[in-house]
């Protein structure tokens, strides 16, 4: 019984369970701060990312609303401008009606002739530019394709055929 009493009165720090408990508390205490800091950092990064996404979405919404308002304003202004142009045109037409019909007919004929000449010149210029661009592009494309895939003899034959076709096209246009 004395041994048992001695065991019960044994000093607590000599007990192995005490040291296991102390070790456990120390390990938990040492790991608690870095782990909590790491978890807080990860959560803060996630919160920041979500806040940024919400902010970006709000900015996009605001931009879209501003664009909508701007386009609606432009639409309304376009209608007003069209109305003003129509009114102005009607006034000019009424003023022109009062002038001599002969003078008006002569001016219209002269302007139509000038417009036809300009239109024909523009068409001719556009056709020539289109032919030139098409020719240059076709020659460049064919040259590249031919250089990459054909031998020299076949390349020469195809180039000659292409030149003949381009001449036929330009003479026909």
């Amino acid at each position: 019984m004395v041994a048992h009493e001695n065991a019960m009165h044994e000093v607590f720090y000599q007990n192995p369970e005490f040291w296991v408990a102390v070790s456990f508390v120390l390990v938990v205490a040492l790991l608690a701060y870095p782990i909590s800091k790491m978890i807080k950092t990860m959560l803060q990064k996630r919160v920041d990312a979500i806040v940024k996404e919400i902010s970006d979405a709000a900015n996009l919404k605001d931009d879209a609303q501003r664009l909508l308002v701007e386009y609606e304003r432009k639409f309304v202004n376009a209608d007003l401008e069209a109305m003003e142009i129509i009114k102005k045109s009607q006034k000019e037409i009424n003023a022109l009606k009062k002038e001599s019909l002969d003078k008006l007919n002569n001016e219209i004929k002269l302007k139509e002739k000038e417009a036809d000449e300009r239109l024909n010149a523009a068409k001719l210029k556009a056709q020539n530019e289109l032919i030139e661009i098409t020719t240059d592009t076709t020659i460049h494309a064919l040259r590249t394709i031919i250089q990459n895939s054909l031998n020299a003899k076949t390349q020469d034959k195809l180039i000659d055929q292409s030149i003949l076709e381009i001449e036929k096209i330009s003479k026909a246009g």
Side-chain angles (χ1 to χ4, degrees):
M1 186 172 225
V2 174
H4 183 55
E5 285 181 16
N6 284 341
M8 289 185 73
H9 293 295
E10 185 178 300
V11 180
F12 68 91
Y13 57 83
Q14 290 179 348
N15 190 345
E17 286 96 12
F18 170 76
W19 289 109
V20 169
V22 168
S23 298
F24 177 74
V25 170
L26 285 174
V27 167
V28 168
L30 289 174
L31 292 179
Y33 180 72
I35 289 175
S36 68
K37 188 175 180 181
M38 182 176 65
I39 290 172
K40 284 180 186 177
T41 303
M42 288 179 6
L43 289 175
Q44 188 60 44
K45 284 181 182 177
R46 181 66 180 146
V47 167
D48 291 344
I50 291 171
V51 167
K52 184 180 183 309
E53 287 178 15
I54 291 172
S55 174
D56 290 346
N59 289 340
L60 287 175
K61 181 182 176 187
D62 291 343
D63 289 345
Q65 295 243 332
R66 279 194 298 272
L67 282 174
L68 177 64
V69 168
E70 182 180 331
Y71 283 120
E72 287 175 346
R73 183 180 47 80
K74 285 182 180 179
F75 180 73
V76 169
N77 288 342
D79 286 344
L80 293 175
E81 288 177 17
M83 297 279 266
E84 288 177 17
I85 290 171
I86 290 171
K87 288 179 183 178
K88 185 177 179 182
S89 297
Q90 287 175 348
K91 288 179 183 178
E92 289 176 4
I93 289 171
N94 290 334
L96 291 173
K97 283 181 182 178
K98 293 176 183 177
E99 292 181 18
S100 152
L101 289 176
D102 292 334
K103 182 178 178 182
L104 181 64
N105 285 332
N106 290 336
E107 289 178 14
I108 290 174
K109 287 178 184 177
L110 180 62
K111 293 201 183 250
E112 285 178 351
K113 184 178 177 182
E114 289 175 3
D116 286 340
E117 289 173 359
R118 286 183 195 164
L119 183 60
N120 289 334
K123 282 182 184 178
L124 183 61
K125 182 180 177 183
Q127 285 175 345
N128 289 338
E129 288 176 0
L130 183 60
I131 289 171
E132 183 179 332
I133 291 170
T134 304
T135 302
D136 291 344
T137 305
T138 303
I139 289 172
H140 179 69
L142 287 174
R143 182 178 292 140
T144 303
I145 292 170
I146 290 170
Q147 288 175 350
N148 292 336
S149 63
L150 301 174
N151 62 30
K153 183 178 178 182
T154 308
Q155 287 179 8
D156 292 340
K157 182 178 177 182
L158 286 175
I159 290 172
D160 292 340
Q161 288 176 350
S162 297
I163 291 171
L164 290 175
E165 287 297 319
I166 290 170
E167 289 175 356
K168 287 180 187 177
I169 291 172
S170 62
K171 288 181 182 178

